[in-house]
Structure formats: C-alpha cells, structure tokens
C-alpha cells in the first residue's frame, strides 16, 4: 500500500507541467525569456522540469 | 509539489507580472548550461532570478497562495523599466489577440540574432504598429521556415487571432533582409491589417 502511494506521489511530481500548469503563459525558449526579462527590467521565474 | 498551483487563476494572473520561463530538461544535455549555472539538483526546481539573471531565491512553498504571494513580492521589487514588447508565446498571443481584437505577428529571427539589439530597434522601427499587433519571437530554424513556407529568416508571419486555425492560413508571410529599411516590413504589415479589415 505504501509502495503504491509512493509510486503515485512520484508520478504526480514527475508529471509534465503542461498537464498541471497549462494556464500560465510560459516562455519555452529560455534564452529568449531571459533576454526578455533583461530588456523589460523584470524578474523571471525559471521552472526546471523534465517530462519522464 | 502542489502541481495545481500553476493552474490556479490567481497564480496565473500574478505570473503576468514577471517572465515565467519553462526550462525543459527532458532530453539529456537540454539546457545544461542553465542547470549548471543555477545548480539544479532535481525536478521540478523553481527559481526566481532578477533581470540580470542573478538568482533571487528558490521557491520553497508550492501551495497556490504561497506561490502567488512570492511572485507578487518579487514583482514589486522588480517592477520593470519598460512595457513588454514581445508576448510570451504564440499560444498566449493568439488568446490575448482574440480578446483584444488584434492580429499576431510572429517574428522569425535569424540564428545569430542579437536579442537586446532587436528588442530595442524593432519597436522603434514599427512605430504605432506595436499597438496594432501582438508580437511573438520565434527562432527561424530550417524546420520553422519550412512549416511557414518561407525561404529564409528574418521574416514575419501575420496570423488572424479570430481564425479557427490561425497557423493554417496566415494572413501574410513577409520576407525581408536585416539591412532593409523599416518601410519594407511596415508597409507589408499595413497591407496585412487592411486585408484583415475587409
């Protein structure tokens, strides 16, 4: 039971952000995004993720 | 992680005050420089950086309320020095374009583009066209150019935000050279706007 719960937790944690963060208008080109932030003088939020 | 935080409407709204960047590390070697720079140890890792790329902090509490508050605090300290010119994404631009009744202009850049120079020069050259279109930056890769039916970058593709499938039938495909006078692009954009009003 615990193992199943652990597996479920891992599955959720590793789920692609698109499934759970689909509404935020993400910049998907990091180099461009950081240049955009620099040009606008704004902070950026970097969401490092992997779709495994 | 509370995976729902970034679907929360208040978080989504707050995220508009900063630049939210998705760094996909799915394939080995992807964004390795960034991962090394910020010492990313696992996924997901969420960091805030200032406009110069210096790390401010890592996001610890990933509950929606906490995420919203964190973004707001950071945005308050980094309010920006100029309004955004580029939209975050084509998808976002088309959604906003539909609401604002504006077409989207996708700028396909050359490989060795100087982003800072382009972001300064292009809005100046465009004049009030910056208010008539929503501009999106994309890489003019071989694949991208082929998909758009273009031979080379730079180029601009104008999309009708209200079309059922905007990418399927662009309003205009505008090819030009980097050293062309601004008039070349501007006249073509004006023509595209006229054709949309018909």
């Amino acid at each position: 039971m615990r193992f199943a719960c652990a597996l479920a937790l891992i599955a959720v944690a590793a789920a692609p952000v698109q499934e759970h963060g689909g509404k935020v208008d993400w910049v998907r080109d990091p180099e461009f995004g950081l240049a955009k932030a620099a040009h606008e003088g704004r902070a950026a939020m970097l969401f490092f993720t992997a779709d495994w | 992680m509370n995976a729902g935080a970034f679907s929360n409407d208040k978080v989504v709204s707050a995220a508009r005050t900063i630049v939210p960047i998705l760094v996909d590390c799915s394939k080995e070697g992807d964004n390795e420089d960034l991962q090394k720079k910020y010492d990313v140890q696992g996924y997901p890792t969420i960091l805030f950086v200032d406009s110069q790329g210096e790390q401010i902090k890592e996001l610890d509490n990933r509950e929606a309320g906490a995420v919203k508050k964190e973004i707001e605090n950071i945005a308050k300290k980094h309010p920006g020095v100029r309004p955004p010119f580029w939209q975050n994404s084509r998808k976002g631009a088309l959604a906003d374009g539909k609401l604002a009744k504006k077409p989207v202009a996708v700028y396909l850049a050359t490989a060795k583009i100087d982003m800072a120079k382009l972001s300064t020069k292009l809005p100046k050259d465009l004049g009030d066209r910056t208010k008539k279109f929503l501009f999106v930056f994309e890489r003019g890769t071989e694949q991208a150019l082929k998909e758009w039916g273009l031979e080379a970058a730079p180029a601009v593709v104008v999309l009708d935000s209200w079309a059922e499938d905007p990418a399927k039938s662009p309003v205009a495909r505008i090819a030009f050279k980097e050293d062309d006078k601004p008039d070349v692009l501007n006249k073509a954009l004006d023509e595209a706007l006229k054709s949309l009003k018909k």
Side-chain angles (χ1 to χ4, degrees):
Chain A
M1 180 65 182
R2 278 187 190 173
F3 182 68
C5 287
L7 274 179
L9 271 172
I10 291 166
V12 169
V17 72
Q18 290 90 329
E19 290 181 7
H20 303 285
K23 286 188 184 175
V24 171
D25 188 15
W26 296 100
V27 173
R28 290 166 191 264
D29 179 332
E31 192 188 339
F32 162 69
L34 289 168
K36 184 177 184 313
H39 187 251
E40 294 167 13
R42 295 197 291 162
M45 175 171 61
L46 294 167
F47 191 123
F48 290 85
T49 185
D51 186 5
W52 297 328
Chain B
M1 169 182 169
N2 180 351
F6 293 99
S7 289
N8 178 285
D9 284 343
K10 289 180 180 175
V11 172
V12 170
S13 181
R16 283 181 173 261
T17 60
I18 53 163
V19 181
I21 302 170
L22 196 73
V23 188
D24 190 351
C25 308
S26 299
K27 291 179 203 158
E28 200 178 326
D30 275 359
N31 296 302
E32 214 170 308
D33 289 350
L34 277 178
Q35 292 188 71
K36 213 172 175 176
K37 181 176 180 177
Y38 297 110
D39 191 30
V40 172
Q41 299 293 322
Y43 313 111
T45 290
I46 305 168
L47 306 169
F48 291 100
V49 300
D50 67 16
S51 63
Q52 300 310 303
E54 293 299 316
Q55 183 168 334
I56 301 169
K57 67 180 299 187
E58 184 169 344
L59 182 69
D60 298 317
N61 187 341
R62 296 175 187 183
E63 293 300 317
V67 174
K68 172 187 171 281
K69 201 172 179 181
E70 201 70 84
I71 292 173
E72 284 173 346
N73 286 342
I74 284 170
K76 210 172 177 179
K77 291 173 187 168
H78 303 268
V81 298
R82 56 178 63 84
F85 166 67
W86 299 110
Q87 301 298 305
N88 287 359
S89 69
R90 193 198 307 172
K91 187 178 175 185
L94 285 168
D96 286 351
K98 205 167 181 177
L99 290 171
K101 297 183 182 174
K102 290 182 186 178
V104 169
V106 180
Y107 187 102
L108 293 154
T110 53
K112 292 183 181 177
I113 188 69
D114 180 334
M115 281 292 321
K117 198 175 169 184
L118 179 69
S119 298
T120 303
K121 186 179 182 296
L122 186 61
K124 279 186 192 160
D125 290 346
L126 290 167
D128 68 352
R129 290 164 196 84
T130 58
K131 293 176 187 154
K132 295 177 183 176
F133 293 85
L134 296 179
F135 286 87
V136 174
F137 173 90
E138 290 187 5
R139 307 276 174 185
T141 61
E142 205 175 301
Q143 186 182 350
L145 292 169
K146 196 176 177 183
E147 281 172 11
W148 290 118
L150 290 159
E151 284 185 13
V156 168
V157 179
V158 178
L159 304 177
D160 179 353
S161 304
W162 313 274
E164 204 172 302
D165 190 347
K168 208 172 179 181
S169 353
V171 174
R173 293 177 181 83
I174 307 165
F176 55 96
K177 291 180 187 142
E178 270 177 309
D179 55 1
D180 275 342
K181 289 190 177 171
D183 265 0
V184 172
L185 175 58
N186 288 343
K187 279 181 182 169
L189 285 172
D190 293 343
E191 284 302 315
L193 262 180
K194 270 187 204 165
S195 72
L196 277 166
K197 283 175 183 172
K198 284 179 188 168

